[in-house]
């Protein structure tokens, strides 16, 4: 009888052990599949796009610019592209589902697992849509803090031929940023995810402030 009880106990232990191992394996697989997401935020002309290029090259992140993805869609001459062109020209926000689905497609088609998402989310609706559609929250949020007069000067001097590089549209974009983007930054600040960077200075000077953030990561 004692041997039978011992055998039953061993079988129960082995079944329990297999269940635990299976659970840990599932969690490990899930963790490997989740991308490392960094939202990069800041006003128009804050230098976030330029810094993203340097971060991507130095730390091997994939750089996804919400603005670039939207402009690529505009150049496709699709119905969505025409609509996006008109919205951006007026300094307004593109519907969340359009931008999020462009980002999701770019993430899934990339061979990387570390992403810088440049210029998104721009409002709370964007944030909620991203977390719902993509299914993850950002790991960190990098916020480039820059005075308005500096941002205006940078945008008007860059002369890239973009439809939104003019003083009237720039004023609208700054108002949109203050009204809609700052609450997103406040939301993630409350969750301890925001790294605030003083964006005044040369490209290399600002990058020196960014370096410690990513050098400390273990990903």
């Amino acid at each position: 009888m004692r041997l039978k009880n011992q055998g039953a106990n061993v079988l129960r232990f082995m079944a329990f052990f297999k269940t635990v191992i299976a659970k840990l394996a599932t969690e490990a697989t899930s963790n490997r599949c989740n991308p490392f997401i960094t939202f990069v935020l800041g006003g128009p002309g804050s230098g976030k796009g330029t810094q993203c290029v340097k971060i991507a090259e130095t730390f091997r992140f994939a750089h996804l610019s919400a603005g670039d993805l939207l402009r690529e869609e505009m150049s496709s001459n699709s119905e969505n592209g025409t609509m996006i062109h008109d919205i951006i020209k007026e300094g307004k926000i593109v519907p969340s589902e359009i931008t999020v689905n462009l980002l999701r497609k770019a993430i899934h088609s990339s061979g990387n697992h570390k992403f810088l998402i440049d210029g998104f989310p721009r409002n709370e609706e964007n944030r909620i849509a991203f977390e719902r559609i993509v299914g993850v929250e950002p790991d960190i949020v990098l916020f480039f803090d820059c005075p308005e007069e500096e941002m205006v000067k940078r945008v008007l001097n860059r002369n890239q031929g973009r439809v939104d590089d003019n003083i009237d549209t720039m004023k609208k974009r700054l108002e949109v940023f203050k009204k809609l983007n700052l609450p997103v930054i406040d939301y993630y600040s409350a969750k301890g995810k925001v790294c605030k960077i003083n964006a005044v200075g040369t490209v290399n000077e600002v990058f020196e402030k960014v370096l410690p953030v990513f050098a400390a990561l273990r990903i």
Side-chain angles (χ1 to χ4, degrees):
M1 180 67 71
R2 181 177 298 178
L3 290 175
K4 289 183 179 179
N5 289 338
Q6 288 178 345
N9 288 336
V10 169
L11 290 174
R12 281 195 293 269
F13 174 77
M14 290 300 296
F16 173 76
F17 181 74
K18 289 180 180 179
T19 300
V20 171
I21 292 299
K23 181 180 179 182
L24 291 174
T26 299
E27 290 177 351
T29 301
S30 176
N31 288 336
R32 286 198 301 271
C33 291
N34 286 337
F36 186 94
I37 301 291
T38 301
F39 285 158
V40 185
L41 303 178
S46 62
K48 59 186 182 296
T50 300
Q51 294 299 321
C52 278
V53 172
K54 295 180 72 65
I55 296 167
E57 292 175 349
T58 305
F59 297 101
R60 299 182 180 179
F61 275 71
H63 175 202
L64 302 180
S65 167
D68 286 348
L69 290 173
L70 290 169
R71 281 184 283 276
E72 287 174 11
E73 188 69 15
M74 281 192 288
S75 67
S76 70
N77 294 321
S78 66
E79 184 177 347
N80 272 349
T82 301
M83 178 185 66
I84 291 168
H85 179 279
D86 293 339
I87 292 172
I88 291 179
K89 188 174 182 179
E90 294 174 4
K92 296 179 180 178
I93 299 293
V94 174
S96 299
E97 287 74 14
I98 293 176
T99 308
V100 171
N101 278 304
L102 290 174
L103 288 167
R104 182 173 61 85
K105 180 180 178 182
I107 289 171
H108 288 171
S109 63
S110 172
N112 207 328
H113 73 283
K114 301 183 296 184
F115 297 92
L116 302 170
I117 299 185
D118 175 4
F120 191 90
R122 294 186 176 183
N123 56 35
E124 280 290 278
E125 182 187 2
N126 285 174
R127 177 187 67 78
I128 293 168
F130 182 91
E131 294 179 4
R132 173 175 55 84
I133 295 172
V134 181
V136 296
E137 290 188 6
D139 294 273
I140 61 173
V141 177
L142 202 61
F143 170 42
F144 287 94
D145 189 22
C146 191
E148 284 191 16
E149 58 271 20
E150 178 67 17
M151 289 190 285
V152 170
K153 182 175 71 174
R154 290 177 181 178
V155 167
L156 296 183
N157 287 340
R158 67 188 178 188
N159 191 27
Q160 293 180 347
R162 287 165 42 174
V163 296
D164 51 347
D165 281 354
N166 61 76
I167 187 63
D168 292 333
T169 301
M170 181 62 182
K171 289 179 179 179
K172 293 179 182 178
R173 293 175 68 200
L174 284 171
E175 287 302 315
V176 168
F177 171 75
K178 288 187 290 186
K179 181 179 179 180
L180 301 179
N181 204 197
L182 290 180
V184 175
I185 295 167
D186 290 341
Y187 173 84
Y188 286 121
S189 291
K191 302 189 79 170
K193 294 190 173 187
V194 173
C195 297
K196 184 177 179 181
I197 304 295
N198 183 342
V200 176
T202 66
V203 170
N204 288 334
E205 287 171 346
V206 175
F207 189 57
E208 286 297 318
K209 304 170 190 175
V210 173
L211 278 173
V213 175
F214 291 92
L217 294 176
R218 294 290 183 268
I219 49 176

